[in-house]
Structure formats: structure tokens, C-alpha cells
Coordinates of all heavy atoms in Angstrom, one line a residue:
A1 N 2.7 8.9 -11.9 CA 2.9 9.2 -10.5 C 3.7 8.1 -9.8 O 4.5 8.4 -8.9 CB 1.6 9.3 -9.8
V2 N 3.6 6.8 -10.3 CA 4.4 5.8 -9.7 C 5.8 6.0 -10.0 O 6.7 5.8 -9.1 CB 4.0 4.4 -10.3 CG1 4.9 3.3 -9.8 CG2 2.5 4.1 -9.9
S3 N 6.2 6.5 -11.2 CA 7.6 6.7 -11.5 C 8.1 7.9 -10.7 O 9.3 8.0 -10.3 CB 7.8 7.0 -13.0 OG 7.1 8.1 -13.4
L4 N 7.3 8.9 -10.4 CA 7.7 10.0 -9.5 C 8.0 9.6 -8.1 O 9.0 10.0 -7.5 CB 6.6 11.1 -9.5 CG 6.4 12.0 -10.7 CD1 5.1 12.9 -10.5 CD2 7.6 12.8 -11.0
A5 N 7.2 8.7 -7.6 CA 7.4 8.1 -6.3 C 8.7 7.3 -6.3 O 9.5 7.5 -5.3 CB 6.3 7.2 -5.8
A6 N 9.0 6.6 -7.3 CA 10.2 5.8 -7.4 C 11.4 6.7 -7.5 O 12.5 6.3 -7.0 CB 10.1 4.8 -8.5
A7 N 11.2 7.8 -8.2 CA 12.4 8.7 -8.4 C 12.7 9.6 -7.2 O 13.7 10.2 -7.2 CB 12.1 9.6 -9.6
G8 N 11.8 9.6 -6.2 CA 12.1 10.4 -5.0 C 11.3 11.6 -4.8 O 11.4 12.2 -3.7
A9 N 10.4 12.0 -5.7 CA 9.5 13.1 -5.5 C 8.3 12.6 -4.7 O 7.2 12.6 -5.1 CB 9.1 13.7 -6.8
R10 N 8.6 12.2 -3.5 CA 7.6 11.4 -2.7 C 6.4 12.1 -2.3 O 5.3 11.6 -2.6 CB 8.3 10.8 -1.5 CG 9.2 9.7 -1.9 CD 9.8 9.0 -0.6 NE 11.1 8.6 -1.0 CZ 12.2 8.8 -0.3 NH1 12.1 9.5 0.8 NH2 13.4 8.4 -0.7
G11 N 6.5 13.2 -1.7 CA 5.3 13.9 -1.1 C 4.2 14.1 -2.2 O 3.1 13.7 -2.0
E12 N 4.6 14.8 -3.2 CA 3.6 15.1 -4.3 C 3.1 13.8 -5.0 O 1.9 13.7 -5.2 CB 4.2 16.0 -5.3 CG 4.3 17.5 -4.9 CD 4.8 18.3 -6.1 OE1 4.4 18.1 -7.2 OE2 5.6 19.2 -5.8
A13 N 4.0 13.0 -5.3 CA 3.7 11.7 -6.0 C 2.7 10.9 -5.2 O 1.8 10.3 -5.7 CB 4.9 11.0 -6.4
L14 N 3.0 10.7 -3.9 CA 2.2 9.9 -3.0 C 0.8 10.5 -2.9 O -0.2 9.8 -2.9 CB 2.9 9.6 -1.7 CG 4.2 8.8 -1.7 CD1 4.8 8.8 -0.4 CD2 3.9 7.5 -2.3
A15 N 0.7 11.8 -2.8 CA -0.6 12.4 -2.7 C -1.4 12.3 -4.0 O -2.6 12.0 -3.9 CB -0.4 13.9 -2.4
E16 N -0.7 12.4 -5.1 CA -1.3 12.2 -6.4 C -1.8 10.7 -6.5 O -2.9 10.5 -7.0 CB -0.4 12.5 -7.5 CG -1.0 12.5 -8.9 CD 0.0 12.9 -10.0 OE1 0.9 13.7 -9.7 OE2 -0.3 12.5 -11.1
L17 N -1.0 9.8 -6.1 CA -1.4 8.4 -6.2 C -2.6 8.1 -5.3 O -3.6 7.5 -5.8 CB -0.3 7.5 -5.7 CG 0.9 7.3 -6.7 CD1 2.0 6.5 -6.0 CD2 0.5 6.6 -7.9
E18 N -2.6 8.7 -4.1 CA -3.7 8.5 -3.2 C -5.0 9.0 -3.8 O -6.1 8.4 -3.8 CB -3.4 9.1 -1.9 CG -4.5 9.0 -0.9 CD -4.7 7.6 -0.4 OE1 -3.7 6.8 -0.3 OE2 -5.9 7.2 -0.1
A19 N -4.9 10.2 -4.4 CA -6.1 10.9 -5.0 C -6.7 10.1 -6.2 O -7.9 10.2 -6.4 CB -5.7 12.3 -5.4
T20 N -5.9 9.5 -7.0 CA -6.3 8.9 -8.2 C -6.6 7.4 -8.1 O -7.2 6.8 -9.0 CB -5.3 9.1 -9.3 OG1 -4.1 8.5 -9.0 CG2 -5.1 10.5 -9.6
K21 N -6.3 6.7 -7.0 CA -6.4 5.2 -7.0 C -7.8 4.7 -7.2 O -8.0 3.7 -7.7 CB -5.8 4.7 -5.7 CG -6.6 5.0 -4.5 CD -5.9 4.4 -3.2 CE -6.8 4.7 -2.0 NZ -6.1 4.5 -0.8
G22 N -8.8 5.5 -6.7 CA -10.2 5.0 -6.9 C -10.7 5.0 -8.3 O -11.7 4.3 -8.6
D23 N -10.0 5.8 -9.2 CA -10.5 5.9 -10.6 C -9.8 4.9 -11.5 O -10.1 4.9 -12.7 CB -10.2 7.3 -11.1 CG -10.9 8.4 -10.3 OD1 -12.0 8.1 -9.7 OD2 -10.4 9.5 -10.2
L24 N -9.0 4.0 -11.0 CA -8.2 3.1 -11.8 C -8.9 1.7 -11.9 O -9.6 1.3 -11.1 CB -6.8 3.0 -11.2 CG -6.1 4.3 -11.1 CD1 -4.8 4.0 -10.3 CD2 -5.8 4.9 -12.4
N25 N -8.4 1.0 -13.0 CA -8.9 -0.4 -13.1 C -8.2 -1.2 -12.0 O -7.2 -0.8 -11.4 CB -8.6 -0.9 -14.5 CG -7.1 -1.1 -14.8 OD1 -6.4 -1.8 -14.1 ND2 -6.6 -0.4 -15.8
P26 N -8.7 -2.4 -11.8 CA -8.1 -3.2 -10.6 C -6.6 -3.5 -10.7 O -5.9 -3.4 -9.6 CB -8.9 -4.6 -10.7 CG -10.2 -4.2 -11.4 CD -9.8 -3.1 -12.4
I27 N -6.1 -3.7 -11.8 CA -4.6 -4.0 -11.9 C -3.8 -2.7 -11.6 O -2.9 -2.8 -10.8 CB -4.3 -4.6 -13.3 CG1 -4.9 -6.0 -13.5 CG2 -2.8 -4.7 -13.5 CD1 -4.8 -6.6 -14.8
A28 N -4.2 -1.6 -12.2 CA -3.5 -0.4 -11.9 C -3.7 0.1 -10.5 O -2.8 0.6 -9.9 CB -4.0 0.7 -12.9
R29 N -4.9 -0.2 -10.0 CA -5.2 0.2 -8.6 C -4.3 -0.6 -7.6 O -3.7 0.0 -6.7 CB -6.6 -0.1 -8.3 CG -7.0 0.3 -6.9 CD -8.5 0.0 -6.6 NE -8.8 0.4 -5.3 CZ -9.9 1.2 -5.0 NH1 -10.7 1.5 -5.9 NH2 -10.1 1.5 -3.7
N30 N -4.1 -1.9 -7.9 CA -3.2 -2.7 -7.1 C -1.7 -2.2 -7.2 O -1.0 -2.2 -6.2 CB -3.3 -4.1 -7.4 CG -4.5 -4.8 -6.8 OD1 -5.1 -4.3 -5.8 ND2 -5.0 -5.9 -7.3
T31 N -1.3 -1.8 -8.3 CA 0.0 -1.2 -8.5 C 0.2 0.0 -7.6 O 1.2 0.2 -6.9 CB 0.3 -0.9 -10.0 OG1 0.2 -2.1 -10.7 CG2 1.7 -0.3 -10.1
V32 N -0.8 0.9 -7.6 CA -0.8 2.1 -6.8 C -0.8 1.7 -5.3 O 0.0 2.2 -4.5 CB -1.9 3.0 -7.2 CG1 -2.1 4.2 -6.1 CG2 -1.7 3.6 -8.5
V33 N -1.7 0.9 -4.9 CA -1.9 0.5 -3.5 C -0.6 -0.2 -3.0 O -0.1 0.1 -1.9 CB -3.1 -0.4 -3.3 CG1 -3.1 -0.9 -1.9 CG2 -4.4 0.4 -3.5
T34 N 0.0 -1.0 -3.8 CA 1.2 -1.7 -3.3 C 2.4 -0.7 -3.2 O 3.2 -0.8 -2.4 CB 1.6 -2.9 -4.1 OG1 1.7 -2.6 -5.5 CG2 0.6 -4.1 -3.9
T35 N 2.4 0.3 -4.1 CA 3.4 1.3 -4.0 C 3.3 2.1 -2.7 O 4.2 2.3 -2.0 CB 3.4 2.2 -5.2 OG1 3.7 1.5 -6.4 CG2 4.4 3.4 -5.1
L36 N 2.0 2.5 -2.4 CA 1.7 3.2 -1.2 C 2.0 2.3 0.0 O 2.5 2.8 1.1 CB 0.3 3.7 -1.2 CG -0.1 4.7 -2.2 CD1 -1.6 4.9 -2.3 CD2 0.6 6.0 -1.9
L37 N 1.7 1.0 -0.1 CA 2.0 0.1 1.0 C 3.5 0.1 1.4 O 3.9 0.0 2.5 CB 1.5 -1.3 0.7 CG 0.1 -1.7 1.1 CD1 -0.3 -3.0 0.5 CD2 -0.1 -1.6 2.6
Q38 N 4.3 0.1 0.3 CA 5.8 0.1 0.6 C 6.2 1.3 1.4 O 7.0 1.1 2.3 CB 6.5 0.0 -0.8 CG 6.4 -1.3 -1.5 CD 7.0 -1.2 -2.9 OE1 8.1 -0.7 -3.0 NE2 6.3 -1.8 -3.9
Y39 N 5.7 2.4 1.1 CA 6.0 3.6 1.8 C 5.5 3.6 3.2 O 6.1 4.1 4.2 CB 5.6 4.9 1.1 CG 6.5 5.2 -0.1 CD1 6.2 4.8 -1.4 CD2 7.8 5.8 0.1 CE1 7.1 5.0 -2.4 CE2 8.6 6.1 -0.9 CZ 8.3 5.7 -2.2 OH 9.1 5.9 -3.2
S40 N 4.3 3.1 3.3 CA 3.6 2.9 4.6 C 4.4 2.0 5.6 O 4.6 2.3 6.7 CB 2.2 2.4 4.5 OG 1.6 2.2 5.7
L41 N 4.9 0.9 5.0 CA 5.7 0.0 5.8 C 7.0 0.6 6.2 O 7.5 0.4 7.3 CB 5.9 -1.3 5.0 CG 4.7 -2.2 4.9 CD1 5.0 -3.3 3.8 CD2 4.3 -2.8 6.2
R42 N 7.7 1.3 5.3 CA 8.9 2.0 5.6 C 8.7 3.0 6.7 O 9.6 3.3 7.5 CB 9.5 2.7 4.4 CG 10.1 1.8 3.4 CD 10.7 2.5 2.2 NE 10.9 1.6 1.1 CZ 10.9 2.0 -0.1 NH1 10.6 3.2 -0.5 NH2 11.1 1.1 -1.1
A43 N 7.6 3.6 6.8 CA 7.3 4.6 7.8 C 6.8 4.0 9.1 O 6.5 4.7 10.1 CB 6.2 5.6 7.3
C44 N 6.6 2.7 9.1 CA 6.1 1.9 10.3 C 4.7 2.5 10.7 O 4.5 2.6 11.9 CB 7.1 2.0 11.4 SG 8.7 1.3 11.1
S45 N 3.9 2.7 9.7 CA 2.6 3.2 10.0 C 1.5 2.1 9.9 O 1.0 1.8 8.9 CB 2.2 4.3 9.0 OG 0.9 4.8 9.2
R46 N 1.2 1.6 11.1 CA 0.3 0.5 11.2 C -1.1 0.9 10.7 O -1.8 0.2 9.9 CB 0.2 0.0 12.6 CG -0.9 -1.1 12.7 CD -1.1 -1.6 14.2 NE -2.2 -2.4 14.3 CZ -3.4 -1.9 14.6 NH1 -3.6 -0.6 14.7 NH2 -4.5 -2.7 14.6
E47 N -1.6 2.1 11.2 CA -2.9 2.5 10.8 C -3.0 2.8 9.3 O -4.0 2.4 8.7 CB -3.3 3.8 11.5 CG -3.4 3.6 13.0 CD -2.1 3.6 13.8 OE1 -1.1 3.9 13.2 OE2 -2.1 3.1 14.9
R48 N -2.0 3.4 8.7 CA -2.0 3.6 7.3 C -2.0 2.3 6.5 O -2.7 2.1 5.5 CB -0.8 4.5 6.9 CG -0.8 4.8 5.4 CD -1.9 5.9 5.1 NE -1.8 6.2 3.7 CZ -2.8 6.0 2.9 NH1 -4.0 5.6 3.3 NH2 -2.7 6.2 1.6
T49 N -1.2 1.4 7.0 CA -1.1 0.1 6.3 C -2.4 -0.7 6.4 O -2.9 -1.2 5.3 CB 0.0 -0.8 7.0 OG1 1.3 -0.1 6.9 CG2 0.1 -2.2 6.4
L50 N -3.1 -0.6 7.5 CA -4.4 -1.3 7.6 C -5.4 -0.6 6.6 O -6.2 -1.3 6.0 CB -4.9 -1.2 9.0 CG -4.3 -2.1 10.0 CD1 -4.7 -1.7 11.5 CD2 -4.6 -3.5 9.7
S51 N -5.4 0.7 6.5 CA -6.3 1.4 5.6 C -6.0 1.0 4.2 O -7.0 0.8 3.4 CB -6.1 2.9 5.8 OG -6.8 3.6 4.9
L52 N -4.8 0.9 3.8 CA -4.4 0.6 2.4 C -4.8 -0.9 2.1 O -5.2 -1.2 1.0 CB -2.9 0.8 2.2 CG -2.5 2.3 2.1 CD1 -1.0 2.4 2.1 CD2 -3.0 2.9 0.8
L53 N -4.6 -1.8 3.1 CA -5.0 -3.2 2.9 C -6.5 -3.3 2.5 O -6.8 -4.2 1.7 CB -4.6 -4.0 4.1 CG -3.1 -4.3 4.3 CD1 -2.9 -4.9 5.7 CD2 -2.6 -5.1 3.2
K54 N -7.3 -2.4 3.0 CA -8.7 -2.5 2.6 C -9.0 -2.2 1.1 O -10.0 -2.5 0.6 CB -9.5 -1.5 3.5 CG -9.5 -1.9 4.9 CD -10.2 -0.8 5.8 CE -10.1 -1.1 7.2 NZ -10.7 -0.1 8.1
D55 N -8.0 -1.5 0.5 CA -8.2 -1.1 -0.9 C -7.6 -2.1 -1.9 O -7.8 -2.0 -3.1 CB -7.4 0.2 -1.2 CG -8.1 1.4 -0.5 OD1 -9.3 1.3 -0.3 OD2 -7.4 2.3 -0.1
V56 N -7.0 -3.2 -1.4 CA -6.4 -4.2 -2.2 C -7.5 -5.1 -2.9 O -8.4 -5.5 -2.2 CB -5.4 -5.1 -1.4 CG1 -5.0 -6.3 -2.3 CG2 -4.3 -4.3 -0.9
Q57 N -7.4 -5.3 -4.2 CA -8.3 -6.2 -4.9 C -7.6 -7.5 -5.2 O -6.8 -7.6 -6.1 CB -8.8 -5.5 -6.1 CG -9.6 -4.2 -5.8 CD -10.1 -3.5 -7.0 OE1 -9.6 -3.7 -8.1 NE2 -11.1 -2.7 -6.8
T58 N -7.8 -8.4 -4.3 CA -6.9 -9.6 -4.2 C -7.0 -10.5 -5.5 O -6.0 -11.1 -5.9 CB -7.3 -10.5 -3.0 OG1 -8.7 -10.8 -3.1 CG2 -7.0 -9.8 -1.7
E59 N -8.1 -10.4 -6.2 CA -8.2 -11.2 -7.4 C -7.3 -10.7 -8.6 O -7.1 -11.4 -9.5 CB -9.7 -11.3 -7.9 CG -10.3 -10.0 -8.3 CD -10.8 -9.1 -7.2 OE1 -10.7 -9.5 -6.0 OE2 -11.1 -7.9 -7.5
S60 N -6.8 -9.5 -8.4 CA -6.0 -8.9 -9.5 C -4.5 -8.7 -9.1 O -3.8 -8.0 -9.8 CB -6.5 -7.5 -9.9 OG -7.9 -7.7 -10.3
L61 N -4.1 -9.4 -8.0 CA -2.7 -9.2 -7.6 C -1.7 -10.1 -8.4 O -2.0 -11.3 -8.7 CB -2.6 -9.6 -6.1 CG -3.2 -8.7 -5.1 CD1 -3.1 -9.3 -3.7 CD2 -2.5 -7.4 -5.0
S62 N -0.6 -9.6 -8.6 CA 0.5 -10.4 -9.2 C 1.1 -11.2 -8.0 O 0.8 -10.9 -6.8 CB 1.6 -9.5 -9.8 OG 2.3 -8.8 -8.9
S63 N 2.0 -12.1 -8.3 CA 2.7 -12.9 -7.2 C 3.5 -12.0 -6.3 O 3.5 -12.1 -5.1 CB 3.5 -14.0 -7.7 OG 4.5 -13.6 -8.6
D64 N 4.2 -11.0 -6.9 CA 5.0 -10.1 -6.1 C 4.1 -9.2 -5.2 O 4.4 -8.9 -4.0 CB 5.9 -9.2 -7.0 CG 7.0 -9.9 -7.6 OD1 7.4 -11.0 -7.1 OD2 7.6 -9.5 -8.6
Q65 N 3.0 -8.7 -5.8 CA 2.1 -7.9 -5.0 C 1.5 -8.7 -3.9 O 1.3 -8.2 -2.8 CB 1.0 -7.3 -5.9 CG 1.5 -6.3 -6.9 CD 0.5 -5.9 -7.9 OE1 -0.4 -6.7 -8.3 NE2 0.6 -4.7 -8.4
A66 N 1.1 -9.9 -4.2 CA 0.5 -10.8 -3.1 C 1.5 -11.0 -2.0 O 1.1 -11.0 -0.8 CB 0.1 -12.1 -3.7
A67 N 2.8 -11.2 -2.3 CA 3.8 -11.3 -1.2 C 3.9 -10.1 -0.4 O 4.0 -10.1 0.9 CB 5.2 -11.7 -1.8
L68 N 3.9 -8.9 -1.0 CA 3.9 -7.6 -0.3 C 2.7 -7.5 0.6 O 2.8 -7.1 1.8 CB 4.1 -6.5 -1.2 CG 4.0 -5.1 -0.6 CD1 5.3 -4.9 0.3 CD2 4.0 -4.0 -1.6
V69 N 1.5 -7.8 0.1 CA 0.3 -7.6 0.8 C 0.3 -8.6 2.0 O -0.1 -8.2 3.1 CB -0.9 -7.9 -0.1 CG1 -2.2 -8.1 0.7 CG2 -1.1 -6.8 -1.1
A70 N 0.8 -9.8 1.8 CA 0.9 -10.7 3.0 C 1.9 -10.2 4.0 O 1.6 -10.3 5.2 CB 1.4 -12.1 2.4
H71 N 3.0 -9.6 3.6 CA 3.9 -9.0 4.5 C 3.3 -7.9 5.3 O 3.4 -7.8 6.5 CB 5.2 -8.6 3.8 CG 6.2 -7.9 4.7 ND1 6.9 -8.5 5.6 CD2 6.5 -6.5 4.7 CE1 7.6 -7.6 6.2 NE2 7.4 -6.4 5.7
A72 N 2.6 -7.0 4.6 CA 1.9 -5.9 5.2 C 0.9 -6.3 6.2 O 0.7 -5.8 7.3 CB 1.3 -5.0 4.1
A73 N 0.1 -7.4 5.8 CA -0.9 -7.9 6.7 C -0.3 -8.5 8.0 O -0.8 -8.2 9.1 CB -1.8 -8.9 6.0
T74 N 0.8 -9.2 7.8 CA 1.5 -9.7 9.0 C 2.0 -8.6 9.9 O 1.9 -8.7 11.1 CB 2.7 -10.6 8.5 OG1 2.1 -11.7 7.7 CG2 3.4 -11.2 9.7
Y75 N 2.6 -7.6 9.3 CA 3.1 -6.5 10.0 C 2.0 -5.8 10.8 O 2.2 -5.6 12.0 CB 3.8 -5.5 9.1 CG 4.0 -4.1 9.8 CD1 5.0 -3.9 10.7 CD2 3.1 -3.1 9.5 CE1 5.2 -2.7 11.3 CE2 3.3 -1.8 10.1 CZ 4.3 -1.6 11.0 OH 4.5 -0.4 11.6
A76 N 0.9 -5.5 10.2 CA -0.2 -4.8 10.8 C -0.8 -5.7 12.0 O -1.1 -5.1 13.0 CB -1.2 -4.5 9.8
T77 N -0.8 -7.0 11.8 CA -1.4 -7.9 12.8 C -0.4 -7.9 14.0 O -0.9 -7.9 15.1 CB -1.6 -9.3 12.2 OG1 -2.5 -9.1 11.1 CG2 -2.2 -10.2 13.2
E78 N 0.9 -8.1 13.7 CA 1.8 -8.1 14.8 C 1.9 -6.8 15.6 O 2.0 -6.9 16.8 CB 3.2 -8.5 14.2 CG 3.4 -9.9 13.7 CD 3.1 -10.9 14.7 OE1 3.6 -10.8 15.9 OE2 2.4 -11.9 14.4
Q79 N 1.8 -5.7 14.9 CA 1.8 -4.4 15.6 C 0.6 -4.3 16.5 O 0.7 -3.7 17.6 CB 1.8 -3.3 14.6 CG 3.2 -3.1 13.9 CD 4.3 -2.9 14.9 OE1 4.3 -2.1 15.7 NE2 5.3 -3.7 14.8
S80 N -0.6 -4.8 16.1 CA -1.8 -4.7 16.9 C -1.7 -5.6 18.1 O -2.2 -5.3 19.2 CB -3.0 -5.0 16.1 OG -3.0 -6.4 15.7
K81 N -0.9 -6.7 18.1 CA -0.7 -7.6 19.2 C 0.2 -7.0 20.3 O 0.1 -7.2 21.4 CB -0.1 -8.9 18.8 CG -1.1 -9.8 18.0 CD -0.4 -11.1 17.6 CE -1.3 -12.0 16.8 NZ -0.6 -13.2 16.3
K82 N 1.1 -6.1 19.8 CA 2.0 -5.4 20.7 C 1.4 -4.3 21.5 O 1.9 -3.9 22.5 CB 3.2 -4.9 19.9 CG 4.1 -6.0 19.4 CD 5.3 -5.4 18.6 CE 6.2 -6.5 18.0 NZ 7.3 -5.9 17.3
R83 N 0.2 -3.9 21.1 CA -0.4 -2.7 21.8 C -1.3 -3.2 22.9 O -1.8 -4.0 23.2 CB -1.3 -1.9 20.8 CG -0.4 -1.2 19.9 CD -1.1 -0.4 18.9 NE -0.2 0.3 18.1 CZ -0.5 1.4 17.4 NH1 -1.7 1.9 17.4 NH2 0.4 2.0 16.7

């Protein structure tokens, strides 16, 4: 599903990723969540970003994933200050 999302079959792939993320090991789950976070950030969806951040398992993040999560957290925080 991650490769489908990267290839552009977004709607189906993102729905499939969302549906399966709970059944994955921590490393795979973080891969799915960070992929979903990228799309959430592109869509400027603060609520969705906040929801996805709750699913991150910080002890299993790679350095690239940690950077993305930090960016997403900053974005979500800054958006809440603007409201």
C-alpha cells in the first residue's frame, strides 16, 4: 500500500493504509503513519495531522521519520495558535 500511495493511487492506497496501520509492528506502523502524515501536511489538515501524531510510536522512529514528526507537530501547534 505504501508503494501504491507513492505511485499516485492515493485514495485507495491511503484508505488501505489507514485500515491496516493498527495491525502492524511498531516499525511498519511508523512507516505507514509517516506516509499518511506527509499527505495530511500537503492537504493542510491540522485535525488529521493531530490525529495521526497520536499514532506515532516514538521509540521506533528513524531519524527521517523523527524529523517529519517534529515538523508535523510544529505545523499543528502553529495552526492552533492562529485560531
Side-chain angles (χ1 to χ4, degrees):
V2 173
S3 61
L4 286 174
R10 288 186 210 128
E12 281 184 44
L14 295 175
E16 185 177 335
L17 287 173
E18 182 67 35
T20 60
K21 72 180 179 194
D23 300 332
L24 302 172
N25 67 58
I27 293 171
R29 182 180 181 132
N30 280 338
T31 299
V32 167
V33 171
T34 54
T35 298
L36 293 170
L37 271 172
Q38 290 175 41
Y39 285 98
S40 175
L41 289 168
R42 286 183 196 148
C44 299
S45 176
R46 177 186 168 270
E47 292 79 16
R48 182 75 182 120
T49 299
L50 286 170
S51 174
L52 288 167
L53 286 171
K54 293 176 186 174
D55 292 331
V56 173
Q57 297 181 339
T58 55
E59 65 280 354
S60 301
L61 289 172
S62 70
S63 58
D64 288 340
Q65 290 171 332
L68 176 66
V69 168
H71 175 71
T74 300
Y75 164 77
T77 302
E78 290 299 317
Q79 289 300 310
S80 66
K81 289 179 184 177
K82 291 180 180 179
R83 290 182 178 200

